[in-house]
Amino acid sequence: MEKRVYNFNPGPAALPLPVLEKMQKELLNFRGTGMSILEMSHRSKDFEAVLDDAISRIKRLLKLDDRFDVLFLQGGASLQFCMVPMNLEVPGRPVDYIDTGSWASKAIKEAQIQKKHVRIIASSKDKGYSYIPKGFVINPDASYLHITSNETIQGTQWKSFPSTDGVPLVADMSSDILSRPFDPSPFGLIYAGAQKNLGPAGVTLVIIRKDMLDRSSADLPTMLKYKTFAEKKSLYNTPPCFAIYAVDLVVEWLEEEIGGVEKIALINEKKARMLYECIDENEIYRGTAAPEDRSVMNVTFRLATEELEKEFLAKAAEKGLVGLKGHRSVGGCRASIYNAVSTEAVEALADFMRSFAKSH
Ligand SMILES: *Cc1c(COP(=O)(O)O)cnc(C)c1O
């Protein structure tokens, strides 16, 4: 095998090497079927076993009881920005959002396009989305409250979720799902595009509390209604079979090799600490997120000038450290250190950052 780089891409992002190797091994003849999983019916018992395994592992890992359905949809997290208000608005009751950054504001825009009564109950736009709002008031009459658990671009993360006193929480967890444990009971719906922390692009995980299904009105288009997917176990039409298979291998790895979400959370904390310490101890770097709201998944930082950032990225790439450029909308640098990014990779980055600081 040619040398693999240390991959800090924001998404699609690194996958665990054992998962890639298992995919390679099984590609031509899937578990004795004599064909590839790419070539087989989504209604076959072999594919259904994969789907069932993925669902039950996700339920175990996230401690979801039978109040929740686990669905696999297409259209990315971005389609969820549209489907959430379409399906979960209760007529006559506003939909509430907290505006924490680029992704939250895109979710808000899709609810506004549908002419829902959107209330933005808190925002961190005033300081360039560098923090998570605190001390806001929850409206008891809201259809739901939407949050973005981790802002992938700005590098901020909710450390604990707001208590909503019965208003269902809806969360975009695209960039931190399965990275840490949380209590699912206040959530009406959780969604995540797979390509950051779960698997490859092409599938979106939706976890929905079953009572939310009754909110979708009958006149919604079939493919935009959660109920369609819930009633048919995500097999109403052809699902993204290969992506679901890859997600299954990722959650199998998380459960069996890592030992679950509590274990990976400790590893993730340690990885993030290494980088933030490096940023705080070396004047050449400046973290962009408020220290108490710093993301454990996306570490965002700047150097003094754009010239210096360019040099940093180029020198890093020479050392096999790739994917460190910040999002084009904000610039700077970003290390995405999702579950599949090893401690070894993060150590290599921290070493490089220290030696770069020393030589400047
Ligand atoms: C990447 C990302 C999205 C967009 O996901 P798509 O699957 O590309 O639509 C939405 N929200 C968050 C938090 C993300 O990180």
Side-chain angles (χ1 to χ4, degrees):
M1 184 170 46
E2 279 182 53
K3 190 172 161 25
R4 285 171 52 82
V5 294
Y6 292 123
N7 183 354
F8 300 96
N9 275 325
L15 287 166
L17 186 58
V19 166
L20 294 171
E21 286 169 342
K22 190 162 182 186
M23 276 162 48
Q24 185 180 45
K25 188 165 151 270
E26 294 186 327
L27 188 68
L28 300 187
N29 186 348
F30 181 73
R31 300 176 192 176
T33 56
M35 65 181 109
S36 173
I37 190 152
L38 289 163
E39 304 170 296
M40 107 184 12
S41 169
H42 57 292
R43 312 222 176 260
S44 63
K45 69 173 180 5
D46 299 285
F47 178 73
E48 201 162 2
V50 169
L51 179 62
D52 287 340
D53 192 62
I55 293 169
S56 48
R57 285 185 191 278
I58 289 167
K59 284 187 141 181
R60 274 201 301 275
L61 284 163
L62 291 176
K63 302 196 165 55
L64 303 171
D65 58 33
D66 286 333
R67 284 176 304 165
F68 293 93
D69 272 331
V70 172
L71 313 178
F72 293 103
L73 275 62
Q74 301 187 60
S78 299
L79 183 61
Q80 294 310 303
F81 297 162
C82 144
M83 281 178 74
V84 163
M86 189 177 276
N87 284 266
L88 300 189
E89 179 204 34
V90 178
R93 289 169 59 178
V95 294
D96 285 6
Y97 284 77
I98 298 184
D99 185 14
T100 45
S102 305
W103 292 116
S105 64
K106 286 194 166 165
I108 291 165
K109 185 177 145 212
E110 293 302 310
Q112 288 167 335
I113 286 173
Q114 295 175 54
K115 308 240 179 329
K116 305 296 185 193
H117 179 187
V118 177
R119 289 186 301 210
I120 300 169
I121 67 161
S123 170
S124 53
K125 199 174 180 180
D126 59 340
K127 290 185 185 160
Y129 293 128
S130 58
Y131 68 101
I132 298 291
K134 290 155 198 89
F136 45 84
V137 177
I138 304 285
N139 297 311
D141 64 333
S143 292
Y144 59 80
L145 172 62
H146 181 285
I147 60 169
T148 308
S149 60
N150 185 74
E151 284 285 358
T152 323
I153 294 175
Q154 281 81 15
T156 60
Q157 186 177 31
W158 290 84
K159 298 295 152 176
S160 62
F161 297 122
S163 51
T164 53
D165 215 6
V167 174
L169 261 182
V170 172
D172 177 358
M173 294 197 185
S174 294
S175 49
D176 68 352
I177 186 100
L178 289 170
S179 70
R180 56 174 174 171
F182 63 92
D183 171 16
S185 57
F187 289 89
L189 189 142
I190 293 164
Y191 61 94
Q195 69 274 19
K196 276 101 188 208
N197 224 1
L198 269 182
V203 66
T204 308
L205 173 69
V206 172
I207 296 162
I208 187 166
R209 213 172 66 205
K210 286 175 182 158
D211 60 299
M212 296 288 118
L213 294 168
D214 300 325
R215 291 187 175 196
S216 337
S217 89
D219 55 16
L220 288 182
T222 311
M223 285 297 288
L224 295 176
K225 198 160 39 177
Y226 291 120
K227 214 171 188 167
T228 304
F229 296 87
E231 283 174 348
K232 298 280 196 265
K233 202 172 75 183
S234 302
L235 292 171
Y236 170 74
N237 70 329
T238 318
C241 301
F242 193 82
I244 292 171
Y245 159 67
V247 168
D248 182 39
L249 295 184
V250 170
V251 290
E252 178 186 63
W253 166 82
L254 182 55
E255 213 176 11
E256 294 181 13
E257 289 196 40
I258 301 294
V261 172
E262 288 78 8
K263 287 269 168 62
I264 200 81
L266 295 174
I267 298 170
N268 287 334
E269 284 287 341
K270 189 176 154 214
K271 282 164 15 189
R273 208 175 315 121
M274 277 197 264
L275 295 185
Y276 286 121
E277 273 174 14
C278 193
I279 288 169
D280 292 339
E281 284 165 10
N282 293 283
E283 231 170 276
I284 190 169
Y285 306 114
R286 180 174 57 79
T288 61
E292 69 277 16
D293 301 321
R294 284 170 163 178
S295 169
V296 167
M297 296 275 99
N298 308 97
V299 177
T300 51
F301 56 98
R302 309 250 15 182
L303 285 82
T305 63
E306 283 183 23
E307 274 308 297
L308 203 54
E309 284 168 351
K310 257 195 204 134
E311 188 191 334
F312 174 86
L313 294 170
K315 291 254 162 69
E318 279 171 26
K319 295 258 184 283
L321 302 156
V322 307
L324 292 165
K325 199 170 176 355
H327 191 268
R328 61 187 185 283
S329 62
V330 294
C333 303
R334 166 176 59 174
S336 297
I337 48 173
Y338 303 121
N339 286 356
V341 176
S342 66
T343 304
E344 182 206 340
V346 176
E347 276 165 355
L349 175 58
D351 285 348
F352 166 75
M353 286 174 71
R354 263 187 226 100
S355 71
F356 186 86
K358 222 173 254 160
S359 65
H360 287 75

